[in-house]
Amino acid sequence: MAEAASIIPTLEDRPVKNTICLFDVDDTLTPARRPVSPAMLTLLSQLRHKCAIGFVGGSDLIKQQEQLGTQSIPVTTLFDFCFAENGLTAYRMGQALPSTSFIGWLGEEKYKQLVNFCLVYVAGLDIPVKRGTFVEFRNGMINVSPIGRNASIAERNAYNAYDKAHNIRRDFVSALREKFPHFGLTYSIGGQISFDVFPTGWDKTYCLKHVQAEKELSGIDYTTIHFFGDKTNKGGNDYEIFEDKRTVGHSVEGPADTMRILKELFDL
């Protein structure tokens, strides 16, 4: 894909010019928190010769670089649109777009109340394993993990199974909603070990404002917006954009499923 990136047609010259494909990252383009496969990168490069492509994930750009890019290839060169933190940090054709701050919106006092509650709640949890980084501050949100984001891959897998059986994250979110109903926040469970907290309306549909702005920038009106994601059920972090009337939603069961659908849709 890196070699093809230098000869990718401009957005205006793509054969399917008015179509864009947007992808969740974990369990859509890659296994959860694991690197993308060469086969997926090759397929995305082929797709990029036909239409615009972008990713939209809750993680910050550093984590998406780890999963989708390489040490020598910036992820911002492999996709036309890069939407980190649901699009609150965004890149178009390798250039940064204006970003938005969660803490600037919420305010320091409310932010401290929120984080303090989360840390006390985690301290009271009796779960098999705890590691570190229970609250991760990002530009457009916070990410909360009962086990801690420092957990290993094996520990993440084990916790995910435990969480499905005991609903740790679901109950945590319920407690936050009850404690802070006046904060105007949305809680979105995604991945294996955590959930995101952000202002209502700052879910993955936030990135669509950048997609629609393309009409003013280049004259391209993206009338067909395909979205691929795995957490598309209500409460999952792909739900809002999957259900949005502006998108054609595809619920996938992993990277192999994403590849299968792309090959069928675009004759790749």
Side-chain angles (χ1 to χ4, degrees):
M1 186 170 181
E3 294 178 357
S6 62
I7 56 171
I8 293 290
T10 65
L11 293 175
E12 294 86 346
D13 292 331
R14 307 285 167 93
V16 193
K17 184 173 71 171
N18 297 107
T19 292
I20 183 171
C21 289
L22 298 176
F23 302 91
D24 168 52
V25 180
D26 283 341
D27 287 324
T28 298
L29 292 180
T30 78
R33 289 298 299 134
R34 302 297 296 275
V36 67
S37 71
M40 177 64 84
L41 288 178
T42 298
L43 189 68
L44 289 174
S45 178
Q46 294 170 2
L47 177 63
R48 199 179 179 195
H49 279 79
K50 292 194 171 188
C51 68
I53 67 171
F55 67 79
V56 51
S59 295
D60 58 34
L61 192 66
I62 293 173
K63 293 183 179 64
Q64 290 155 351
Q65 171 66 33
E66 291 171 352
Q67 290 180 255
L68 298 173
T70 70
Q71 288 185 340
S72 59
I73 305 173
V75 67
T76 52
T77 67
L78 300 179
F79 293 80
D80 303 304
F81 296 90
C82 301
F83 299 128
E85 302 181 51
N86 295 349
L88 297 165
T89 298
Y91 284 76
R92 173 194 179 272
M93 306 302 290
Q95 300 300 311
L97 297 173
S99 63
T100 307
S101 166
F102 171 59
I103 199 166
W105 179 90
L106 185 63
E108 188 66 45
E109 287 305 312
K110 287 183 177 178
Y111 176 74
K112 287 192 296 184
Q113 292 176 43
L114 178 66
V115 171
N116 288 345
F117 181 88
C118 289
L119 294 175
V120 170
Y121 190 96
V122 168
L125 286 174
D126 183 13
I127 57 177
V129 171
K130 290 182 183 177
R131 289 299 176 253
T133 313
F134 301 103
V135 177
E136 181 177 79
F137 174 75
R138 299 174 181 173
N139 184 58
M141 66 182 71
I142 61 170
N143 179 265
V144 182
S145 175
I147 185 177
R149 296 196 60 86
N150 293 348
S152 68
I153 296 298
E155 290 165 344
R156 286 167 176 261
N157 291 337
Y159 174 81
N160 190 40
Y162 184 86
D163 188 76
K164 288 178 179 178
H166 296 89
N167 297 309
I168 303 300
R169 288 183 291 174
R170 185 199 67 184
D171 293 345
F172 200 157
V173 165
S174 295
L176 282 163
R177 287 196 177 113
E178 182 177 348
K179 179 68 175 178
F180 302 108
H182 55 298
F183 275 19
L185 297 172
T186 291
Y187 307 89
S188 185
I189 296 172
Q192 293 180 298
I193 64 168
S194 64
F195 59 89
D196 296 327
V197 184
F198 47 83
T200 299
W202 289 17
D203 52 60
K204 287 186 178 178
T205 61
Y206 189 93
C207 78
L208 298 178
K209 63 181 279 187
H210 297 300
V211 173
Q212 293 178 313
E214 190 61 31
K215 187 175 182 179
E216 300 297 324
L217 291 173
S218 66
I220 299 174
D221 184 9
Y222 288 117
T223 53
T224 302
I225 304 172
H226 291 281
F227 172 75
F228 299 79
D230 68 304
K231 296 289 191 300
T232 56
N233 291 328
K234 191 167 185 178
N237 65 353
D238 297 324
Y239 174 76
E240 290 85 1
I241 191 170
F242 176 80
E243 291 287 336
D244 194 283
K245 64 182 181 180
R246 293 169 289 181
T247 68
V248 179
H250 304 273
S251 188
V252 303
E253 297 180 356
D257 200 28
T258 301
M259 295 177 72
R260 176 187 64 79
I261 296 172
L262 287 175
K263 290 175 182 178
E264 293 174 358
L265 281 177
F266 293 96
D267 193 26
L268 299 172

